[in-house]
Amino acid sequence: MCGIVGYIGNKQAIPVLIEGLQKLEYRGYDSAGIAVYNQGKINIRKFKGRLSVLEEHLKKETIEGSLGIGHTRWATHGEPSDINSHPHSNVSGDIVVVHNGIIENYMQIKKFLKEKGYEFISETDTEVLAHYVDYFYNGDLIEAVKNVLEKVRGSYAFAVISKSEPDKIVCVRKENPLIVGVGEGENFIASDIPAILNHTRKIYLLNENELAIITKDSISFINEEGKNIEKDIFEVSWDVAAAEKSGFEHFMIKEIHEQPKAVKDTMTSRIIADQASIKLDDIKLTKEELEKFSKVFIIACGTAFHAGMVGKYVIEKLARIPVEVDIASEFRYRSPIVDDKTLTIIISQSGETLDTLAALKEAKKNGSRILSIVNVVGSSIARESHDVLYTWAGPEIAVASTKAYTTQLIALYTVALYMAKLKGTLTDAQITEIKNEMMELPNQIEVALSHKATIQKFATKNSNARDIFYLGRGIDYAVALEGSLKLKEISYIHSEAYAAGELKHGTIALIEKGTIVVALLTQDALYEKTLSNIKEVKARGAFVFAIAKEGNTDIETVADYTLYIPEVSDILSPIASVIPLQLLAYYMAVEKGCDVDKPRNLAKSVTVE
């Protein structure tokens, strides 16, 4: 949520800031702004709406300067408006702040500042920060920011510039991502790597409660006590092209097509065909340690939570360990029973999801061992965990997650097989058989992708649907939840997913003539029961789009529309069966003219509660 960019060097700042903000649009926003210092004045321009609104205004005037900060806002405090947009300044405009996250005690600070004579024009917590820095400012911007940090509570990242000290940017990170890019005669800050990747591959990763002081020729770091910190440079290995559309109309469809490679990359070096051994990178989990755990928690949000639901089925079936899946924002507040006999698996694409990070800390505080599955190297969740298993999906730009989900599933399958091997719940022959099947998954995804023209045709005919229901049993139900989420995220069509056996307990009352039902039937053991559920909705007039394995042609006598995925074992079917659901959501959104990559009200990285 929100995006920060900053530049100090010898170039004109505005082109660098605008380019960086363009690269951060995927994070979600409703307004954009910049602040640039030049000849004793900080010029601020900010507008509600897309970044293009800001760009059009900047074309009408010349604003020079080689020090600047920029921001795309996703509203939390105050509606989207020009006034509530970032950057925010003190009354004189001498001190300017951009900020991601939430200042929890801003109302108390605002009251205090009002009593001191400060006046406010916006509804934001960020304006409070700007005035608070001003209150503490006595010629030393670093000291003023340190004093602010002693008083504010919340999760945030912010950057400050001052007219009185135009040679530096001071920024800080607490539970919201912020990186520092290293250049020659210039330096950068940003919320995420793509924003500055055209300029540098060398970055510093800020840790919790660390301050960075950036000049054009130097970068230094201090902690809350003001002590200097030495940090290692992180070299970005992927290139700019990985974060570009490469000829595709949208990032989402590009990332859907990247799944064969992403899945293969995530398996590489961990799973070798025709061998029973499994390697979890540098994770050391012994048989004795595993047997000490009485249960496993899987904690995540959104799409990652749905991956966790599949993980529950897989770990319990293969390794015979009890697994509880929890939404991170709920886990934190229900006094979960977690101790040193609990293994907690944390799943997050960005590795910065605030609720998930807080849940991790809660579990860790209670003695649980933490194994995280994340896509972003060096992210907060990765650094807070005892063990990390990276998904090699590459940068995922579209808000709606696709390749991150399938690679999370691969990571969970790998963990489950590793546990099964340690516990002896599967024979070497059984493990080898599953692994050999996993090696075929990239090809099976390619086959599933070949149906996109058929799915597009279905979307063209049905994009005016108001409600769509998804049904499945077992793992199919977990995949149905993900398919439903994808549809509502980007097409704004109301959709719900239900365990097919629950139809009779209320949901079937919603089925009427013409209601679209997407049904998954990929579980051989549950095929006939799900088929009966489909007959029930058909009897009430539903229009059924069924997804089944090749060979189960009798579904065609019941469903109106049938799409087949390659024959695969029940436990691995989610990798192939989710592909048609991703494509369906995408083409429905395209037919409706929706902003596929940047759906309304949503953000890629959710860094507020």
Side-chain angles (χ1 to χ4, degrees):
M1 289 182 169
C2 304
I4 289 174
V5 177
Y7 174 78
I8 185 167
N10 297 313
K11 298 175 185 172
Q12 290 299 314
I14 285 182
V16 179
L17 298 178
I18 293 298
E19 179 193 38
L21 294 177
Q22 288 171 342
K23 295 294 193 297
L24 295 178
E25 285 187 290
Y26 70 93
R27 296 175 67 86
Y29 70 102
D30 48 50
S31 58
I34 55 96
V36 175
Y37 171 83
N38 188 43
Q39 296 182 345
K41 181 182 179 182
I42 300 177
N43 295 287
I44 298 174
R45 301 292 185 271
K46 54 182 185 172
F47 301 96
K48 173 186 173 182
R50 291 299 188 193
L51 184 59
S52 57
V53 178
L54 173 64
E55 291 180 81
E56 286 302 313
H57 278 83
L58 291 175
K59 288 177 183 177
K60 300 172 186 176
E61 58 181 324
T62 300
I63 300 177
E64 296 186 338
S66 56
L67 164 66
I69 50 178
H71 191 269
T72 50
R73 176 181 187 250
W74 193 88
T76 54
H77 295 73
E79 66 181 5
S81 69
D82 291 355
I83 291 175
N84 287 332
S85 304
H86 296 212
H88 287 278
S89 72
N90 61 349
V91 174
S92 63
D94 294 350
I95 292 172
V96 181
V97 176
V98 290
H99 159 236
N100 292 349
I102 289 176
I103 305 301
E104 293 176 354
N105 59 334
Y106 85 102
M107 288 298 291
Q108 297 97 303
I109 297 171
K110 188 173 185 178
K111 180 182 177 183
F112 167 80
L113 290 171
K114 280 185 173 182
E115 291 171 351
K116 297 294 182 182
Y118 284 85
E119 296 180 357
F120 294 81
I121 61 172
S122 79
E123 303 169 77
T124 68
D125 53 346
T126 306
E127 188 186 6
V128 173
L129 272 180
H131 290 303
Y132 213 23
V133 174
D134 175 86
Y135 173 77
F136 285 113
Y137 188 71
N138 192 24
D140 188 334
L141 188 60
I142 299 168
E143 197 62 32
V145 171
K146 282 171 53 185
N147 286 330
V148 167
L149 293 183
E150 291 178 5
K151 303 293 184 181
V152 299
R153 298 194 312 271
S155 57
Y156 48 79
F158 66 84
V160 189
I161 60 175
S162 170
K163 186 186 81 170
S164 301
E165 299 180 54
D167 63 335
K168 65 173 68 73
I169 303 172
V170 179
C171 56
V172 64
R173 175 194 187 280
K174 182 182 179 185
E175 297 180 353
N176 268 239
L178 198 67
I179 62 169
V180 177
V182 184
E184 294 184 7
E186 60 182 3
N187 290 306
F188 313 81
I189 63 168
S191 295
D192 204 355
I193 293 169
I196 58 175
L197 197 54
N198 274 332
H199 303 280
T200 182
R201 291 179 176 277
K202 297 178 179 180
I203 66 170
Y204 287 109
L205 302 169
L206 281 180
N207 291 319
E208 295 291 287
N209 300 313
E210 289 182 349
L211 285 79
I213 301 95
I214 298 102
T215 73
K216 73 183 185 67
D217 296 312
S218 68
I219 300 169
S220 58
F221 304 94
I222 60 174
N223 61 19
E224 292 173 288
E225 289 76 41
K227 295 180 180 178
N228 290 326
I229 302 168
E230 295 296 324
K231 300 181 75 68
D232 295 326
I233 288 178
F234 173 73
E235 191 90 26
V236 180
S237 58
W238 43 273
D239 58 18
V240 176
E244 301 293 344
K245 292 179 184 175
S246 305
F248 287 92
E249 186 176 356
H250 299 99
F251 279 111
M252 183 178 177
I253 191 65
K254 171 181 178 273
E255 289 157 8
I256 289 172
H257 278 82
E258 287 175 339
Q259 288 176 108
K261 181 181 185 301
V263 163
K264 183 178 180 180
D265 289 348
T266 302
M267 288 189 292
T268 299
S269 79
R270 295 164 177 168
I271 291 177
I272 302 172
D274 300 319
Q275 294 183 20
S277 60
I278 301 102
K279 191 173 187 303
L280 290 186
D281 299 346
D282 296 324
I283 298 173
K284 300 292 189 293
L285 181 63
T286 66
K287 184 175 188 293
E288 293 71 28
E289 288 172 328
L290 182 61
E291 289 180 340
K292 186 189 77 170
F293 298 129
S294 58
K295 68 175 176 180
V296 174
F297 267 112
I298 299 179
I299 302 170
C301 300
T303 286
F305 173 74
H306 296 155
M309 291 184 67
V310 175
K312 170 183 169 68
Y313 282 102
V314 174
I315 292 172
E316 288 188 342
K317 185 174 181 64
L318 300 186
R320 308 307 297 161
I321 301 173
V323 179
E324 188 172 337
V325 188
D326 219 336
I327 298 169
S329 57
E330 294 294 327
F331 177 87
R332 296 175 60 189
Y333 301 110
R334 65 173 183 82
S335 300
I337 303 172
V338 181
D339 54 25
D340 61 356
K341 295 181 177 60
T342 306
L343 173 66
T344 301
I345 299 177
I346 299 288
I347 311 176
S348 170
Q349 187 281 136
S350 67
E352 302 291 349
T353 311
L354 183 62
D355 282 318
T356 309
L357 179 60
L360 180 160
K361 291 179 179 179
E362 178 72 17
K364 191 175 179 182
K365 181 181 71 177
N366 287 305
S368 178
R369 180 165 173 175
I370 310 296
L371 189 165
S372 67
I373 296 173
V374 297
N375 192 44
V376 179
V377 176
S379 57
S380 297
I381 287 174
R383 284 179 280 168
E384 287 281 347
S385 303
H386 299 111
D387 304 297
V388 185
L389 192 63
Y390 286 110
T391 56
W392 300 117
E396 188 179 67
I397 305 301
V399 167
S401 182
T402 52
K403 62 178 180 173
Y405 172 79
T406 46
T407 54
Q408 286 163 358
L409 294 186
I410 293 297
L412 287 163
Y413 289 138
T414 307
V415 169
L417 286 172
Y418 187 86
M419 290 177 171
K421 172 74 173 175
L422 286 182
K423 290 192 68 182
T425 51
L426 294 179
T427 65
D428 283 355
Q430 289 172 318
I431 292 173
T432 300
E433 182 180 356
I434 293 171
K435 288 174 61 178
N436 288 344
E437 267 204 275
M438 288 178 68
M439 299 298 287
E440 293 299 315
L441 289 173
N443 294 330
Q444 292 175 348
I445 295 173
E446 293 283 8
V447 173
L449 287 169
S450 70
H451 295 302
K452 65 180 182 181
T454 303
I455 296 169
Q456 186 174 13
K457 189 181 298 183
F458 177 88
T460 301
K461 293 179 179 178
N462 296 284
S463 61
N464 62 344
R466 293 184 58 189
D467 305 281
I468 296 181
F469 296 97
Y470 289 70
L471 300 179
R473 284 175 177 260
I475 291 183
D476 280 345
Y477 170 51
V479 178
L481 284 164
E482 175 58 14
S484 174
L485 176 62
K486 287 282 102 47
L487 185 73
K488 57 188 141 197
E489 274 184 315
I490 62 170
S491 75
Y492 317 141
I493 295 172
H494 170 256
S495 66
E496 300 291 342
Y498 293 97
E502 281 291 289
L503 275 174
K504 296 179 285 294
H505 300 283
T507 309
I508 202 164
L510 298 172
I511 304 298
E512 56 188 20
K513 185 175 177 58
T515 302
I516 296 176
V517 174
V518 179
L520 287 90
L521 303 91
T522 73
Q523 304 299 292
D524 294 340
L526 298 168
Y527 178 80
E528 291 183 355
K529 291 188 181 297
T530 310
L531 194 60
S532 296
N533 298 135
I534 293 174
K535 290 177 181 178
E536 290 171 348
V537 297
K538 281 295 296 177
R540 274 81 178 172
F543 184 91
V544 176
F545 178 3
I547 298 171
K549 292 180 190 174
E550 291 174 347
N552 290 328
T553 55
D554 52 335
I555 183 62
E556 294 178 20
T557 64
V558 181
D560 300 280
Y561 213 86
T562 306
L563 190 147
Y564 295 102
I565 64 169
E567 174 63 34
V568 64
S569 65
D570 286 6
I571 207 162
L572 297 177
S573 66
I575 298 288
S577 65
V578 78
I579 305 300
L581 303 184
Q582 293 172 346
L583 290 169
L584 177 61
Y586 173 77
Y587 285 117
M588 291 287 255
V590 169
E591 286 295 327
K592 291 187 66 182
C594 300
D595 192 342
V596 174
D597 288 334
K598 301 185 285 290
R600 68 190 185 201
N601 303 332
L602 297 180
K604 182 66 176 174
S605 181
V606 182
T607 53
V608 297
E609 286 193 71

